[in-house]
PDB file of all heavy atoms in Angstrom:
ATOM      1  N   THR V  46      -9.920  -0.449  28.450  1.00  0.00           N
ATOM      2  CA  THR V  46     -10.654   0.601  29.151  1.00  0.00           C
ATOM      3  C   THR V  46      -9.839   1.142  30.305  1.00  0.00           C
ATOM      4  O   THR V  46      -9.306   0.371  31.103  1.00  0.00           O
ATOM      5  CB  THR V  46     -11.982   0.047  29.700  1.00  0.00           C
ATOM      6  OG1 THR V  46     -12.718  -0.562  28.646  1.00  0.00           O
ATOM      7  CG2 THR V  46     -12.812   1.162  30.312  1.00  0.00           C
ATOM      8  N   GLY V  57       0.132  14.032  48.255  1.00  0.00           N
ATOM      9  CA  GLY V  57       0.258  13.112  49.373  1.00  0.00           C
ATOM     10  C   GLY V  57      -0.772  11.995  49.405  1.00  0.00           C
ATOM     11  O   GLY V  57      -0.601  11.010  50.121  1.00  0.00           O
ATOM     12  N   GLN V  66      -8.367  -4.892  29.947  1.00  0.00           N
ATOM     13  CA  GLN V  66      -8.433  -5.270  28.535  1.00  0.00           C
ATOM     14  C   GLN V  66      -9.156  -6.611  28.410  1.00  0.00           C
ATOM     15  O   GLN V  66      -9.063  -7.464  29.280  1.00  0.00           O
ATOM     16  CB  GLN V  66      -7.031  -5.327  27.902  1.00  0.00           C
ATOM     17  CG  GLN V  66      -6.025  -6.155  28.672  1.00  0.00           C
ATOM     18  CD  GLN V  66      -5.670  -7.472  28.039  1.00  0.00           C
ATOM     19  OE1 GLN V  66      -6.286  -7.907  27.061  1.00  0.00           O
ATOM     20  NE2 GLN V  66      -4.657  -8.130  28.596  1.00  0.00           N
ATOM     21  N   TYR V  76       2.131   4.210  30.319  1.00  0.00           N
ATOM     22  CA  TYR V  76       2.924   5.343  29.870  1.00  0.00           C
ATOM     23  C   TYR V  76       2.342   6.618  30.478  1.00  0.00           C
ATOM     24  O   TYR V  76       1.153   6.702  30.750  1.00  0.00           O
ATOM     25  CB  TYR V  76       2.874   5.497  28.343  1.00  0.00           C
ATOM     26  CG  TYR V  76       3.631   4.454  27.565  1.00  0.00           C
ATOM     27  CD1 TYR V  76       3.056   3.231  27.256  1.00  0.00           C
ATOM     28  CD2 TYR V  76       4.927   4.707  27.128  1.00  0.00           C
ATOM     29  CE1 TYR V  76       3.756   2.278  26.517  1.00  0.00           C
ATOM     30  CE2 TYR V  76       5.631   3.767  26.394  1.00  0.00           C
ATOM     31  CZ  TYR V  76       5.041   2.549  26.084  1.00  0.00           C
ATOM     32  OH  TYR V  76       5.738   1.615  25.372  1.00  0.00           O
ATOM     33  N   TYR V 105       5.622   5.101  41.623  1.00  0.00           N
ATOM     34  CA  TYR V 105       4.504   4.310  41.107  1.00  0.00           C
ATOM     35  C   TYR V 105       4.654   2.850  41.535  1.00  0.00           C
ATOM     36  O   TYR V 105       5.751   2.350  41.702  1.00  0.00           O
ATOM     37  CB  TYR V 105       4.457   4.353  39.578  1.00  0.00           C
ATOM     38  CG  TYR V 105       4.336   5.724  38.983  1.00  0.00           C
ATOM     39  CD1 TYR V 105       5.477   6.424  38.581  1.00  0.00           C
ATOM     40  CD2 TYR V 105       3.101   6.334  38.828  1.00  0.00           C
ATOM     41  CE1 TYR V 105       5.382   7.688  38.028  1.00  0.00           C
ATOM     42  CE2 TYR V 105       2.994   7.595  38.272  1.00  0.00           C
ATOM     43  CZ  TYR V 105       4.142   8.261  37.877  1.00  0.00           C
ATOM     44  OH  TYR V 105       4.032   9.519  37.326  1.00  0.00           O
ATOM     45  N   VAL V 107       2.761  -1.051  40.579  1.00  0.00           N
ATOM     46  CA  VAL V 107       1.812  -1.784  39.739  1.00  0.00           C
ATOM     47  C   VAL V 107       1.637  -3.188  40.291  1.00  0.00           C
ATOM     48  O   VAL V 107       2.457  -3.689  41.058  1.00  0.00           O
ATOM     49  CB  VAL V 107       2.275  -1.884  38.267  1.00  0.00           C
ATOM     50  CG1 VAL V 107       2.283  -0.512  37.609  1.00  0.00           C
ATOM     51  CG2 VAL V 107       3.631  -2.555  38.165  1.00  0.00           C
ATOM     52  N   PHE V 115      -4.488  -4.235  35.013  1.00  0.00           N
ATOM     53  CA  PHE V 115      -3.137  -3.756  35.292  1.00  0.00           C
ATOM     54  C   PHE V 115      -3.248  -2.389  35.952  1.00  0.00           C
ATOM     55  O   PHE V 115      -3.017  -1.357  35.332  1.00  0.00           O
ATOM     56  CB  PHE V 115      -2.332  -3.677  33.996  1.00  0.00           C
ATOM     57  CG  PHE V 115      -0.844  -3.459  34.171  1.00  0.00           C
ATOM     58  CD1 PHE V 115      -0.138  -4.058  35.205  1.00  0.00           C
ATOM     59  CD2 PHE V 115      -0.140  -2.675  33.260  1.00  0.00           C
ATOM     60  CE1 PHE V 115       1.228  -3.873  35.343  1.00  0.00           C
ATOM     61  CE2 PHE V 115       1.232  -2.487  33.389  1.00  0.00           C
ATOM     62  CZ  PHE V 115       1.907  -3.084  34.433  1.00  0.00           C
ATOM     63  N   TYR V 140       4.639  -5.603  18.998  1.00  0.00           N
ATOM     64  CA  TYR V 140       3.868  -5.443  17.784  1.00  0.00           C
ATOM     65  C   TYR V 140       2.449  -5.012  18.091  1.00  0.00           C
ATOM     66  O   TYR V 140       1.784  -5.600  18.928  1.00  0.00           O
ATOM     67  CB  TYR V 140       3.821  -6.769  17.020  1.00  0.00           C
ATOM     68  CG  TYR V 140       2.962  -6.728  15.780  1.00  0.00           C
ATOM     69  CD1 TYR V 140       3.463  -6.181  14.601  1.00  0.00           C
ATOM     70  CD2 TYR V 140       1.665  -7.213  15.785  1.00  0.00           C
ATOM     71  CE1 TYR V 140       2.688  -6.135  13.466  1.00  0.00           C
ATOM     72  CE2 TYR V 140       0.883  -7.164  14.646  1.00  0.00           C
ATOM     73  CZ  TYR V 140       1.403  -6.621  13.498  1.00  0.00           C
ATOM     74  OH  TYR V 140       0.642  -6.574  12.374  1.00  0.00           O
ATOM     75  N   GLY V 141       2.006  -3.937  17.410  1.00  0.00           N
ATOM     76  CA  GLY V 141       0.598  -3.581  17.473  1.00  0.00           C
ATOM     77  C   GLY V 141       0.049  -3.326  18.858  1.00  0.00           C
ATOM     78  O   GLY V 141      -0.909  -3.966  19.295  1.00  0.00           O
ATOM     79  N   LEU V 150      -4.689  13.093  34.960  1.00  0.00           N
ATOM     80  CA  LEU V 150      -4.550  13.230  36.408  1.00  0.00           C
ATOM     81  C   LEU V 150      -3.951  14.584  36.746  1.00  0.00           C
ATOM     82  O   LEU V 150      -2.916  14.966  36.204  1.00  0.00           O
ATOM     83  CB  LEU V 150      -3.663  12.119  36.963  1.00  0.00           C
ATOM     84  CG  LEU V 150      -3.360  12.197  38.461  1.00  0.00           C
ATOM     85  CD1 LEU V 150      -4.620  11.929  39.270  1.00  0.00           C
ATOM     86  CD2 LEU V 150      -2.257  11.216  38.837  1.00  0.00           C
ATOM     87  N   VAL V 153      -2.993  18.500  42.954  1.00  0.00           N
ATOM     88  CA  VAL V 153      -2.989  19.902  43.416  1.00  0.00           C
ATOM     89  C   VAL V 153      -2.417  20.009  44.824  1.00  0.00           C
ATOM     90  O   VAL V 153      -2.278  19.010  45.537  1.00  0.00           O
ATOM     91  CB  VAL V 153      -4.410  20.494  43.384  1.00  0.00           C
ATOM     92  CG1 VAL V 153      -4.930  20.510  41.958  1.00  0.00           C
ATOM     93  CG2 VAL V 153      -5.342  19.717  44.304  1.00  0.00           C
TER      94      VAL V 153
END
Side-chain angles (χ1 to χ4, degrees):
Chain V
T46 306
Q66 51 107 351
Y76 288 84
Y105 302 94
V107 293
F115 192 38
Y140 176 80
L150 176 68
V153 298

